[in-house]
Amino acid sequence: MQGLHYLLYIWLGIAIEATHYRGGTFTWKPVSPQIPNQNPVAISFTQRHAWRRGYYYCNQTTIDSGGTVGAGDICCLGTQCGSLSCFPSTAVPCTDFSVSQDTSAGQGSLILNLSPNIKIALTFTGGDWITLQNGGGRWAVTTQISTYMRADGHYNTAPISAMVPVKLLRQGFSYTWLIPTADTDGDTVKCRWATATATVPTNVVADECAGICNTFPGATLNSSSCMMTYTASTVGFWAVSLMMEDYEFTWQTSPLSSTPLQFIVEVYILNSPCIVGPSYTGARPAGACVGVDINQIVVEQAIFTVGCSGVTLTDVITTSPPGMTRGTITQSTSNPLEYTMSMTWTPPASAWGSNLVCYTPIDSFGQQGNTQCVTYLVAVTAPELIYTSYVDGSMSPIGTVMSTQNVWRVECTKAVNRPSTAAYIRFYQSSTATQVYALDASTDTTHVFYSNFTLIFFTNYAWTPGQSYYILFDNGVVTGTEFCGPQSKPILDPTFWPFNIFNSVAFSNLTGMTTSSTTTIIPNITTPAISTTTANPAITTTGITVPSSTTPYTGIGTSSTVRTTTTTSTSTTSITSTTSTTTTTTMPAVQILLPSDIVKKCEQPVIIGTLLSTTVVGAICLVIYGVFMARIAASM
């Protein structure tokens, strides 16, 4: 039945040769957004179109060789177009194709030199759409470009969006899906239905949708969240035409720009007990924001899961930038429901800003999962947690701590914010490698704090004396302050932040130790001045900076970072007591430091007031503890 469905789909495309368009999108960005008062203003205009593969053929060889798909003219609308009229430029390099859906898609960019302080519309028109249940015929894909400067002194960058060319919906089911968007300026993005009577602010009416304006009846669109809801009832093809608009301020009523997104929805019949379609499950979470450098080689493993046993993953429709290549779909040897596919990309300088990479899996029953996207923010480096192996380093505390320890601090390579999606700080017991405590950094505003370069978190857990623990961090526990917030890499190495819990009970048992007749020398004791500052959950980290010698932790090996500290306010006491069988020498009266005294000193509250670690005290306690243990061993 499914094979017949696809044969019918291809036959419809061949029977009417002109029905070859499958939708598209435009976006644009200034070449130099932060340089004011340009004349002309160089705009990088990007277009993406999908076509029937039988009409514009594309395979991996086409992609590797830079072959193009598509044809047609883009024309300028408005009285401020100047010499810019129409240009034949819709033939773009092929970037993606699908055999199962008979689609080829491509994306390309070109530079437009525009006058400052104008607003124009660019439109691509032609015909025809595939035979639709409602509307159809000719298409119009239109965007509005502005070269006015923003309130922040920069030129605006338009939002971007993406969607699978043909979205499959099974008859009789209700669906809700997200329209993926991203905005490099960090503006608020809203979605609306396209209209045939959009006004460009030069008193020009622009057609944004031609034959598919409001031709998806029964669908609802949430303009703020860009969520679409639809109950699939009538079998056939439908076309969707949307506009994405960005607002610098929430009170603005006129958008800075308008960018289009058009795609097809197909409602089909499937008689199968499996009602759970395939899904994208990682490795990066859906909606992740990844910071990458220009010319950095990016290799990602996308993970997918089918919903039922006996079902296989047959295709993954991708939406990717030029130059990104995909590997083969591979089934897991340990989990037959799981599949992986690699994606490799080296972003060029022209790719700066936001780049969407989207995945839409399809199983052997023809069921299609939701389109999930990851944003790659080119030329923006993600923050990372800084590793240190020293007492007064970039993380605190380390080494041996008291069982009441509840405040933790780690510095990062750049200013950080709270993540918008779930990301956990996880504590594990070393002996069993089991998680004993966790904090969701995205929602726990009571225990997890972000201040400039520093991540601070508070725990409420009774650590077991004598046990060892370590801390791991999910992907995106800290995010950058730019745009969508590039996410930190996960920390999965147990050696990154291990710590031990001081066993005060065992230490206190040394109080009853007896003295032999041999000479005993208690070493010099240096005790830093102990503060009684109480931990304040609302503490700030003003003044803390990351030294230039620090190194981000990569999860491999150790860091060679050197941190120099200065210790002040110390006092030194030397105590010697000698016992002989023939002569008794009585030294001047001195204070004897018993083990119980050491325990009391070590149980002082941890100093958090200035966020400087006091694990020096803990280190001294361990030295003295070792002397006493050596003494016990010698007396046995």
Side-chain angles (χ1 to χ4, degrees), residues 94-166:
C94 184
T95 59
D96 307 274
F97 66 93
S98 171
V99 176
S100 66
Q101 289 202 313
D102 191 31
T103 57
S104 299
Q107 179 175 313
S109 300
L110 56 87
I111 302 300
L112 304 176
N113 291 306
L114 304 178
S115 300
N117 302 323
I118 65 171
K119 195 164 188 177
I120 60 173
L122 295 180
T123 186
F124 171 46
T125 59
D128 281 335
W129 287 97
I130 192 172
T131 302
L132 303 172
Q133 293 296 314
N134 192 11
R138 296 186 64 79
W139 68 76
V141 186
T142 305
T143 185
Q144 294 189 25
I145 300 178
S146 170
T147 59
Y148 287 91
M149 295 187 66
R150 300 159 48 95
D152 60 11
H154 300 164
Y155 289 98
N156 188 56
T157 296
I160 63 174
S161 185
M163 180 54 66
V164 62
V166 181

Side-chain angles (χ1 to χ4, degrees), residues 387 493 495 553-559:
Y387 168 80
D493 182 0
T495 66
Y553 181 78
T554 62
I556 302 176
T558 59
S559 169

Side-chain angles (χ1 to χ4, degrees), residues 386 394 411 545-551 561-563:
I386 299 175
S394 63
E411 292 181 23
T545 58
V546 178
S548 59
S549 62
T550 54
T551 304
T561 302
V562 177
R563 183 101 172 207

